[in-house]
Each structure stands twice: as C-alpha cells, then as structure tokens.
Amino acid sequence: QQQVKQSPQSLIVQKGGISIINCAYENTAFDYFPWYQQFPGKGPALLIAIRPDVSEKKEGRFTISFNKSAKQFSLHIMDSQPGDSATYFCAASTGGQNFVFGPGTRLSVLP
Amino acid sequence: GAGVSQTPSNKVTEKGKYVELRCDPISGHTALYWYRQSLGQGPEFLIYFQGTGAADDSGLPNDRFFAVRPEGSVSTLKIQRTERGDSAVYLCASSLNARGNSPLHFGNGTRLTVT
C-alpha cells in the first residue's frame, strides 16, 4: 500500500514534443505529490509538486495533472528540450514525512 | 546559499568493515532524511530526524545500520559489518520542517562500494 507505481520505465521524445510520465498510488493518506528530476551523479531536485485538493498545477513547461478518484497523477513536459534528458521520479508522502518514490522514468529528448 | 553536503562522495570498503557517511544539511532545516538508491531504482527511505531525534527509522534494513544527529544539524549514517548488498548511493536530504509543504532538498549522495 506504500508503493508508488510509475510508467513508462523509459521514454524517447523528439525536441519540441510533449513528454508524459504517469504515476499511481494506493495509500489514500498521501497528501503531497512532488516530482523530482535527477541528472547522473547528482541528487534528485524538486521540479514541481501538488496537493490533492488541486487537479492541475503548471509551472513554466511543466504541468502536473492529478486525479484523486483514480489515485493517479502525471507529469507533462511541454516543448521538451535536450536539456530535459534526465531521470524523473514521482513521490508521495503523508504530512511531509516518509516520502515514497516511484522507480523512475529515464527521459531522452532527441535534438 | 549552500545546499546539502555529503562526504565522502565515494567510499570503497571491504566486506565486513565499518563505514560512516556524513551529511551537512541546509542551515536552519530541522528535518533530515537518509535514503538509499540502487542503480536504476528510486530512492528508498531509511530514516528521518526531526531535530535530534529519529522520528521514523522504519526503513533501516537491519541492526547493522544506525544513524545519529546529536546536535540537530550534521548527521552520520553508520554501517557495521558491511556486505556487498549494501553497495548503493546513500542520499541525504533536508527540509525546513517535516510538513507537507516543505520539499526535500537532496545532496549529491555518497556512492558506497563494498568489495
């Protein structure tokens, strides 16, 4: 019940395209859903986050869509750029404590 | 300002040895977390501190793993009798407080290799 599922495992997108990564959870006590971006040799860095009382949040080219009834949320990267090539992790937590991470999606944006 | 600092960045040790991994959180952050990341996997929760006390250590895999944060700032993760399966990147993160609107700020990790 603590698991967060993430798909796809890897994704290849052309420059300028839309990258979409999906996550699903079971624990309805989760109340905070961040997305992290990780480059090789670096720690994960917060990209964008959402709480379950909001269905969508947009920051620049990054949008989170949240479906509380389906217990799913997704990250959309608009106008994908080669610099976006990284591994993306969704996560969930209850009260900002024990964060549970998905297995990650390796995104490659082709020039 | 300075981010989360972890030392060493790399550590190679022999099976059975003892290792200590250090984390310097962002100044003023009261919550500190340790995660372990294996190759191709997401970070796996180990333990988190609120101040000096371990608020949740349910992720520690066994009693060979121990962490301290004696003054509520720097933390040390200690692994006794290391095993090859302990090889991973150990990530430290801090947050202003352990609340839902306080994101985690990660360091770059310590890559531990047990030979």
Side-chain angles (χ1 to χ4, degrees), chain A residues 52-104:
Chain A
D53 53 350
V54 176
S55 61
E56 184 175 283
K57 182 174 181 180
K58 183 175 181 179
E59 290 184 0
R61 296 185 294 109
F62 302 93
T63 300
I64 298 179
S65 296
F66 188 85
N67 186 330
K68 187 174 180 178
S69 61
K71 293 184 285 188
Q72 296 175 346
F73 58 110
S74 60
L75 175 69
H76 295 230
I77 305 174
M78 311 301 287
D79 187 26
S80 299
Q81 299 296 312
D84 296 331
S85 297
T87 300
Y88 292 81
F89 296 97
C90 60
S93 78
T94 303
Q97 298 178 12
N98 183 348
F99 284 76
V100 179
F101 285 78

Side-chain angles (χ1 to χ4, degrees), chain B residues 10-32:
Chain B
N10 283 282
K11 176 71 177 178
V12 180
T13 190
E14 293 180 348
K15 178 177 179 294
K17 298 292 188 180
Y18 168 83
V19 296
E20 290 190 351
L21 312 179
R22 176 187 169 105
C23 173
D24 281 88
I26 294 173
S27 178
H29 280 195
T30 62
L32 184 146

Side-chain angles (χ1 to χ4, degrees), chain B residues 45-103:
Chain B
F45 172 78
L46 295 177
I47 185 171
Y48 103 88
F49 291 87
Q50 182 61 47
T52 60
D56 184 351
D57 64 357
S58 62
L60 295 177
N62 51 59
D63 61 5
R64 296 187 297 107
F65 289 75
F66 189 71
V68 296
R69 195 187 184 198
E71 298 178 358
S73 178
V74 171
S75 177
T76 304
L77 178 65
K78 308 180 181 191
I79 310 174
Q80 299 177 321
R81 304 183 304 279
T82 52
E83 300 178 356
R84 293 194 180 88
D86 298 335
S87 296
V89 175
Y90 289 82
L91 294 166
C92 177
S94 68
S95 69
L96 190 60
N97 52 58
R99 298 186 189 278
N101 60 352
S102 185

Side-chain angles (χ1 to χ4, degrees), chain A residues 32 36 38 43 46 89 95-96 99, chain B residues 33 35 37 42 98 100 103-104 107-108:
Chain A
Y32 181 63
Y36 284 82
Q38 186 176 31
L46 179 69
F89 296 97
F99 284 76
Chain B
Y33 305 73
Y35 282 81
Q37 186 174 28
L104 300 182
N108 288 329

